[in-house]
Amino acid sequence: MSEQQRDAVANPAKRPTIRDVAAVAGVSKSLVSLVYSDPEKVSEARKGRVLAAAEELGFRPNLLARSLATNMSDFIGILVADPVNPVFAEIIDAASLEFDRAGRRGLMTTAVLPQSGTVRLLNEGTIATLSDLRPRSVLIAGSLPDVTSLGSLAEDRPVVVASGLAEGLPSAGSVRTDDRKGLALLIEHLTSLGHSDIAHLGGMTAVGRSRADAYEEAMTRHGLARHVHVQDSDFTELGGYVAATSLLSRENRPTAIIAANDLAALGVQRALDERGLTPEDVALTGYDNSFLASIAGVSLTSVDPHNGVIGREAARWLIEAEAGNDSLPHELLIEPRLVVRRSSGSGI
Amino acid sequence: MSEQQRDAVANPAKRPTIRDVAAVAGVSKSLVSLVYSDPEKVSEARKGRVLAAAEELGFRPNLLARSLATNMSDFIGILVADPVNPVFAEIIDAASLEFDRAGRRGLMTTAVLPQSGTVRLLNEGTIATLSDLRPRSVLIAGSLPDVTSLGSLAEDRPVVVASGLAEGLPSAGSVRTDDRKGLALLIEHLTSLGHSDIAHLGGMTAVGRSRADAYEEAMTRHGLARHVHVQDSDFTELGGYVAATSLLSRENRPTAIIAANDLAALGVQRALDERGLTPEDVALTGYDNSFLASIAGVSLTSVDPHNGVIGREAARWLIEAEAGNDSLPHELLIEPRLVVRRSSGSGI
DNA sequence: CTGTTAGCGCTTTCAA
DNA sequence: TTGAAAGCGCTAACAG
């Protein structure tokens, strides 16, 4: 009786290994390994026997052992910048669906320490753990506060940022909305409603700056350069509320406010509400077209970045890049569309 | 020149191992291992030297190797039942904070296949991957559609369900809101406003049934047994909308509707809105007190389950259980409080 | 505390 | 295709 067999008898509950499968299928251990790592190279007949034996024993390859041997796991690491922002849930959902279609798996973690307040802190512990597990590639949803401390996670593997800028990650790709087109749509919409005193609220993050620049550009193109006003705000409800409070206490308050995203727009809406201001007094728009915008009591005019498309394209890009095909553009801009609702006072 | 040294010279970029650290610190490989697995047993002096050497070399233990050897990883697996429901984000946030405090790390995945529609399908692939990585314990946020196919993930390790029932998981704990107290608060509130024809919307999930039962009980206690009406609905906005549409087309529509959660309440609100019905016509309440409820244009009266407490307690329980202390109750019920807002027409 | 030995389950290489 | 052998980086057990 071999060591092997004795063990199997003594400990029948133990998870089967390739050795057990090889024994049952009557093939070599190497062949079983091959079946799982490079099935093309094995004849159908033998493959069938191996798979049957595996099925019979309830064998599943040990990911940990495989990862240790190859120095690489086969899942996709997902970093979420802000779990509270529903936009990222939409993007991750779309990406996950695409991963699933490709037979790939994603494991996620929050990139930012919860409740770290206005100064968002990278959740370095979790990121290190994810990194130690050596994911084959990494999807980042949103912009990270400090990309440099991603450390080894961003090295030696494909990285794609969905709905954020790939600043500081030279080899990373980025799939995002075309802010210039988005802001152009907003300015066109608002000017067509007669607005000229249009303020922008945002500018405090990388994406915020991009949108603020696009706002300024569009305003200038419409001959409204002297009305340009950017009020500092982050992308949170509270940030929007604070910024709006300050903006609305100015002598000449704007007749329209463009918030850099839906969450901030919600904060603006609260500030307007508190002052009894309606869309007829101050038009308001957001950006993201998250489900928040479509809530009956919110009814927020918003730019739809096509979050599903962004998530899907980011996922596809990652899968392509894993296959070694990195002849892709560094940045993929998705053309947005405008969704008009009551908040802009257009009477719809 | 040893194999070891030759290798270090030939490949300086290679990640250092405990052997390298041991060499630099002038101690044995075993000691280095001990420093990371059971630091208590090592004298301060030697520990200091090992840690200094590790720092100098930039050494971090290889999680994969450790996991293979111990047949167990040291992270906590997190399963999210519904990533779109903001309640779970709040719970996970609180739990993550607690994990972080304890020096533990969590890795997350969506338990349910995105866009699988009304029949929610368990995302078995990702769950299997998580399971293969052998997390030390598992936190489940929300109720899973089919717990049986969790397979080995739920075996041989502590499992705690946060904000959901541990049905089908005999050895799992559960931290959730006390539905009976929550519904009692709601019925008291609504009856004190003069309502008696109060309908309940939910009952299609495990938690839904629990709340429906609690509703019936509270109604009966208030002598309103003949007004009991449960309209089937799931926990989504669309589900709430559909259920409300059907409910409002009845001959005698109720004067108050209790939705089983905030998301469904949002759907009810949309249906009411479409019919021009105000809180004075039909009072509406939710359950979760998610940030959705506090949005100015929503202003939903809701039961606050203390999501932060639920997440925190679930995390603590898990950490306790990992330490072998499982002399804990099978279910921990958190006492909720009522947050009154405009939707119940109480004039606030 | 040290040092040695064995082993976790898989991949990889190589000669047969 | 096979079988053997070495190795991934760590843990675990044990004699010193």
Side-chain angles (χ1 to χ4, degrees), chain A residues 18-33:
Chain A
I18 46 171
R19 306 172 106 87
D20 303 320
V21 176
V24 170
V27 301
S28 72
K29 188 166 74 91
S30 315
L31 213 235
V32 178
S33 178

Side-chain angles (χ1 to χ4, degrees), chain B residues 260-272:
Chain B
N261 76 340
D262 286 357
L263 231 37
L266 241 40
V268 178
Q269 209 166 46
R270 177 152 63 100
L272 293 171

Side-chain angles (χ1 to χ4, degrees), chain A residues 287-305:
Chain A
Y287 204 118
D288 283 344
N289 195 35
S290 61
F291 87 94
L292 298 171
S294 68
I295 293 172
V298 173
S299 194
L300 180 69
T301 292
S302 190
V303 176
D304 181 3

Side-chain angles (χ1 to χ4, degrees), chain B residues 89-225:
Chain B
E90 294 175 18
I91 290 170
I92 301 280
D93 252 32
S96 299
L97 203 64
E98 199 60 29
F99 289 150
D100 196 73
R101 283 210 187 96
R104 304 301 317 283
R105 318 295 172 199
L107 246 38
M108 196 170 22
T109 184
T110 300
V112 173
L113 218 51
Q115 302 170 23
S116 52
T118 45
V119 184
R120 302 189 315 149
L121 297 171
L122 260 203
N123 191 346
E124 302 192 35
T126 315
I127 291 175
T129 299
L130 187 65
S131 177
D132 284 345
L133 255 17
R134 299 211 182 0
R136 200 183 277 323
S137 64
V138 174
L139 174 67
I140 301 177
S143 295
L144 265 28
D146 174 21
V147 156
T148 60
S149 47
L150 277 185
S152 58
L153 185 60
E155 290 163 14
D156 304 323
R157 55 171 65 84
V159 177
V160 171
V161 181
S163 192
L165 287 118
E167 272 185 339
L169 296 171
S171 63
S174 154
V175 181
R176 48 190 293 265
T177 180
D178 189 332
D179 289 324
R180 301 173 67 180
K181 291 197 175 147
L183 270 296
L185 289 170
L186 288 170
I187 301 292
E188 272 159 35
H189 173 60
L190 291 171
T191 52
S192 80
L193 292 174
H195 292 282
S196 59
D197 196 353
I198 306 169
H200 186 268
L201 208 138
M204 284 181 74
T205 62
V207 171
R209 277 189 298 280
S210 166
R211 294 197 181 148
D213 290 348
Y215 151 80
E216 194 163 343
E217 199 183 304
M219 287 289 277
T220 305
R221 211 167 42 235
H222 281 263
L224 300 173

Side-chain angles (χ1 to χ4, degrees), chain A:
Chain A
M1 200 184 224
S2 74
E3 171 93 17
Q4 179 67 14
Q5 291 170 311
R6 221 181 309 125
D7 189 64
V9 172
N11 193 354
K14 210 178 129 189
R15 227 181 127 167
T17 72
I18 46 171
R19 306 172 106 87
D20 303 320
V21 176
V24 170
V27 301
S28 72
K29 188 166 74 91
S30 315
L31 213 235
V32 178
S33 178
L34 245 201
V35 167
Y36 286 94
S37 51
D38 200 350
E40 312 284 284
K41 299 200 155 179
V42 183
S43 73
E44 285 305 321
R46 288 178 183 277
K47 200 185 334 193
R49 271 167 58 198
V50 168
L51 261 17
E55 169 86 339
E56 180 189 336
L57 294 171
F59 168 81
R60 278 231 318 282
N62 183 323
L63 270 197
L64 255 17
R66 177 190 296 220
S67 304
L68 178 60
T70 60
N71 198 28
M72 170 132 298
S73 301
D74 74 345
F75 69 89
I76 295 162
I78 304 175
L79 245 37
V80 190
D82 180 8
V84 174
N85 191 334
V87 172
F88 297 125
E90 294 175 19
I91 290 171
I92 301 282
D93 252 33
S96 298
L97 203 64
E98 199 61 30
F99 289 149
D100 196 74
R101 284 210 187 97
R104 305 301 317 282
R105 317 297 173 200
L107 246 39
M108 194 169 25
T109 185
T110 300
V112 173
L113 218 51
Q115 301 168 26
S116 53
T118 45
V119 185
R120 303 190 314 151
L121 297 172
L122 259 204
N123 191 347
E124 302 191 34
T126 317
I127 291 175
T129 299
L130 187 66
S131 177
D132 284 346
L133 255 17
R134 298 211 181 3
R136 200 182 280 318
S137 63
V138 174
L139 174 67
I140 300 176
S143 295
L144 264 27
D146 174 21
V147 157
T148 60
S149 47
L150 277 185
S152 58
L153 185 59
E155 289 163 15
D156 305 323
R157 54 172 65 84
V159 177
V160 170
V161 180
S163 192
L165 286 117
E167 272 186 338
L169 296 171
S171 64
S174 155
V175 181
R176 48 191 293 266
T177 180
D178 189 331
D179 290 323
R180 300 172 69 179
K181 291 197 175 147
L183 269 295
L185 288 170
L186 288 171
I187 301 293
E188 270 158 37
H189 173 60
L190 291 172
T191 52
S192 80
L193 292 174
H195 292 281
S196 58
D197 196 354
I198 306 169
H200 185 266
L201 209 139
M204 282 181 76
T205 62
V207 171
R209 275 190 298 279
S210 165
R211 292 197 183 150
D213 290 347
Y215 152 78
E216 195 164 341
E217 196 182 305
M219 286 289 276
T220 304
R221 211 169 41 235
H222 282 263
L224 299 173
R226 68 200 167 83
H227 287 293
V228 164
H229 178 79
V230 176
Q231 181 79 31
D232 272 355
S233 166
D234 60 19
F235 276 32
T236 68
E237 200 268 352
L238 183 61
Y241 176 75
V242 172
T245 299
S246 142
L247 190 59
L248 294 172
S249 63
R250 285 200 310 164
E251 278 184 51
N252 300 314
R253 66 160 187 251
T255 64
I257 299 177
I258 295 178
N261 77 339
D262 286 357
L263 231 37
L266 241 40
V268 177
Q269 208 166 46
R270 178 153 62 99
L272 292 171
D273 214 58
E274 282 179 2
R275 286 167 180 70
L277 296 170
T278 69
E280 274 67 47
D281 303 314
V282 179
L284 172 65
T285 64
Y287 204 118
D288 283 344
N289 195 35
S290 61
F291 87 94
L292 298 171
S294 68
I295 293 172
V298 173
S299 194
L300 180 69
T301 292
S302 190
V303 176
D304 181 3
H306 302 294
N307 295 313
V309 174
I310 290 176
R312 202 179 63 216
E313 290 302 323
R316 282 190 185 157
W317 189 347
L318 222 40
I319 292 168
E320 284 289 309
E322 283 182 0
N325 179 2
D326 50 2
S327 64
L328 291 146
H330 176 254
E331 190 171 62
L332 181 58
L333 293 182
I334 306 296
E335 177 148 356
R337 71 187 175 105
L338 185 69
V339 178
V340 177
R341 297 197 182 85
R342 285 200 301 266
S343 73
S344 56
S346 54
I348 297 184

